[in-house]
Amino acid sequence: MKFFGIHAPRVSALRALLLLSAAAALVAPAASPARAQGGNVDHAGTGGRHSIQGRLVFPSGKRADVRLKVVLTNPGSGELSVVSDMNGSFSFRSLRPGTYTVVVEGGDDYETVRETVFIEPSSISLPPGAPASLLISRPYSMQVYLRPKSPDSPLAPPGVLSAALASVPKPAAELYEKAVEAARRGTESDFKKAVEHLKAALALHPEFALALGEMGVLYMKMKQPEKAAEAVAAALKLEPEDYASLLTYGRALFDLQRFDESEEQFRRALARNGSSPTAHFYTGLLRLKRRDLDSAEKSFTEAIKHGGGQMGLAHKYLGGIYWGRKEYKRAAEELEIYLRLFPEAEDAARVRTTIKDLRGRN
């Protein structure tokens, strides 16, 4: 059997992670498709069988104050977008495996939020005659906590310069602002226009690390991780410890399957910002690849500590790790936390069946 391309000759936590979805799928009915509520569900997807669903939580503590645009991007696939409903819910269905970026556009009042979700390969090596139902369908759930827009945010209204632009020549800074404004509109043509503005800014000011970092983010949105990695690597030569660039570089290298280099960038990012749930989560995934389960457990635990309700998937991974160790009580507890965080998750019925099985074991 393979997991992340790794042969697992004996029952292990890695196998348990697969069985958590695959075995339960054999005994639980498939969840019925959710109906779109005012355009908050995208059914077109990217030709796969997985889903990403989420809720917005506003500073007031309410589920939703307004309806916001949510954009999903993935290298190699087209951009998808929905508008959250008045409960703050949104969903993207029929997704292929891969790395996705969820962007919640905060508008004039809230910071734009970007979160990364990694959907694992959808199948495992099966023996001849094995049922097709062992193909895994993975729903990924998240909560997105919004913050009021800061006056010095790079996405603030035109004319407001961040402190990072204070030492940049004015013509280059103005081109950077034009790039940010174009990027906020969120279309492929706008991203290309933003990149051209950034190239012009760099022609005027070659040591413009912020422009190089932003270019890397845009190339990731445009599904060009090679160019993203090149741009952010250049930014890091100028500012070697910039957290945002380290995180973007790690994600780009992950998409390029340069996993050892990717892990090094997430390690450096965590050295700068030890509370990054995304960096901890990716580190956990990378350690799972190496079957370093103790370290993976620590990384997922840290992701949960700092990401709260956004890291429901980390609870599922911990459940799989504990199942593989035959710590059935702990496995069930992690899965129960996952369901408390996301009671409407697509796989809720299957997870409940799995919990019941785990609770019945000694």
Side-chain angles (χ1 to χ4, degrees):
M1 183 178 291
K2 290 183 179 180
F3 186 79
F4 278 123
I6 300 170
H7 288 278
R10 63 184 182 278
V11 175
S12 66
L14 293 175
R15 186 179 179 190
L17 289 170
L18 291 173
L19 294 174
L20 178 61
S21 295
L26 298 176
V27 296
S32 58
R35 291 175 294 180
Q37 301 176 14
N40 72 314
V41 180
D42 178 277
H43 293 280
T46 58
R49 54 190 288 129
H50 311 297
S51 63
I52 295 172
Q53 57 195 31
R55 288 186 182 275
L56 308 183
V57 179
F58 286 74
S60 64
K62 299 177 183 178
R63 284 289 176 89
D65 293 336
V66 295
R67 301 181 67 182
L68 298 179
K69 183 178 179 181
V70 183
V71 178
L72 186 72
T73 62
N74 164 257
S77 301
E79 183 179 283
L80 306 172
S81 66
V82 296
V83 177
S84 63
D85 68 13
M86 292 310 295
N87 291 317
S89 299
F90 62 89
S91 180
F92 297 93
R93 304 191 184 281
S94 303
L95 302 176
R96 293 198 303 262
T99 300
Y100 291 83
T101 301
V102 178
V103 182
V104 180
E105 298 183 1
D108 294 334
D109 299 321
Y110 302 103
E111 297 281 2
T112 292
V113 178
R114 291 175 175 82
E115 284 292 335
T116 300
V117 177
F118 175 66
I119 298 180
E120 302 154 14
S122 58
S123 63
I124 58 177
S125 298
L126 301 176
S133 57
L134 284 180
L135 292 173
I136 301 171
S137 176
R138 295 187 178 91
Y140 291 80
S141 299
M142 61 191 302
Q143 283 188 219
V144 181
Y145 294 84
L146 298 172
R147 296 180 301 165
K149 180 164 285 185
S150 169
D152 63 353
S153 168
L155 296 181
V160 179
L161 287 175
S162 70
L165 295 179
S167 61
V168 175
K170 185 176 179 180
E174 289 174 346
L175 285 165
Y176 176 83
E177 285 196 306
K178 288 181 180 179
V180 170
E181 279 302 301
R184 288 181 65 187
R185 292 192 285 271
T187 69
E188 184 78 11
S189 62
D190 287 320
F191 293 156
K192 291 178 180 178
K193 186 181 298 182
V195 167
E196 293 307 312
H197 287 315
L198 292 172
K199 287 180 178 178
L202 286 162
L204 295 173
H205 185 52
E207 297 185 350
F208 198 168
L210 189 61
L212 286 164
E214 185 68 22
M215 187 180 294
V217 172
L218 288 166
Y219 278 131
M220 288 294 287
K221 291 181 179 180
M222 296 162 65
K223 312 161 194 64
Q224 299 179 46
E226 299 91 346
K227 291 184 177 180
E230 182 180 355
V232 183
L236 288 168
K237 287 181 180 179
L238 298 169
E239 296 184 8
E241 301 304 319
D242 181 70
Y243 163 72
S245 294
L246 290 167
L247 199 61
T248 302
Y249 196 28
R251 289 168 50 201
L253 293 170
F254 191 97
D255 285 349
L256 293 170
Q257 299 187 38
R258 293 161 58 181
F259 297 122
D260 289 343
E261 296 170 80
S262 175
E263 185 167 7
E264 171 63 15
Q265 304 314 311
F266 289 123
R267 185 192 65 77
R268 293 174 61 196
L270 286 169
R272 298 294 297 169
N273 179 6
S275 63
S276 170
T278 298
H280 282 298
F281 183 75
Y282 268 88
T283 300
L285 291 178
L286 289 160
R287 288 172 175 174
L288 273 182
K289 274 189 61 63
R290 297 201 311 264
R291 287 194 279 180
D292 184 355
L293 302 185
D294 290 341
S295 294
E297 176 190 4
K298 292 177 182 177
S299 293
F300 290 131
T301 300
E302 285 295 305
I304 291 165
K305 174 183 175 181
H306 299 294
Q310 300 180 59
M311 290 289 118
L313 185 58
H315 287 287
K316 289 184 67 177
Y317 276 108
L318 287 175
I321 289 172
Y322 297 143
W323 185 3
R325 294 176 182 166
K326 298 184 179 181
E327 299 178 39
Y328 301 128
K329 181 175 181 293
R330 293 184 73 186
E333 288 171 350
E334 289 298 330
L335 297 178
E336 286 169 347
I337 294 172
Y338 166 71
L339 288 182
R340 285 201 298 272
L341 288 170
F342 305 113
E344 299 174 10
E346 229 179 52
D347 63 343
R350 293 193 291 274
V351 173
R352 289 189 186 97
T353 300
T354 301
I355 292 171
K356 184 177 179 180
D357 174 70
L358 291 169
R359 288 293 189 191
R361 301 190 184 200
N362 295 324

